[in-house]
Amino acid sequence: MARIQDLLRKEVINLFTGEKLGFASDVELDVDSGRIAAIILPEKGKGLSLFGRSSELVVPWADIQRISDDLIMINTDTSVLCRRESKT
């Protein structure tokens, strides 16, 4: 059994583009099922906005292809993923 904290220590690689997306910073939980719905990544190259907020990328759990000891591999076009302003 894995812990959420363990997921946040893994680097995310997009198999679709070969790009390293960074490390997961958070997860979204589906409270009805108790399962992870998505992992959250800070967007690379996005600086802080005027009010100290930055952008994050939401990767649905269904887009995760494999989780190894040190990597999370996704296979999706990141241009179609949800982007939103981070809360921190």
Side-chain angles (χ1 to χ4, degrees):
M1 174 142 328
R3 299 183 318 179
I4 291 173
Q5 183 178 358
D6 296 333
L7 288 176
L8 303 182
R9 296 182 182 155
K10 298 178 190 295
E11 187 169 23
V12 180
I13 305 290
N14 188 351
L15 299 173
F16 187 78
T17 62
E19 180 182 13
K20 293 180 179 183
L21 299 176
F23 292 83
S25 62
D26 205 353
V27 296
E28 282 188 358
L29 298 175
D30 179 338
V31 293
D32 293 330
S33 69
R35 296 179 186 260
I36 297 174
I39 59 172
I40 310 299
L41 302 165
E43 273 206 274
K44 288 174 60 170
K46 300 288 184 183
L48 295 178
S49 70
L50 180 62
F51 298 105
R53 295 191 176 197
S54 58
S55 180
E56 59 189 18
L57 188 65
V58 180
V59 179
W61 189 256
D63 288 347
I64 295 174
Q65 296 294 305
R66 183 178 172 120
I67 299 174
S68 71
D69 289 339
D70 55 351
L71 294 173
I72 298 173
M73 292 166 262
I74 67 169
N75 191 17
T76 191
D77 181 356
T78 54
S79 68
V80 299
L81 293 177
C82 175
R83 286 173 168 75
R84 66 181 178 209
E85 194 173 280
S86 67
K87 296 179 173 94
T88 57

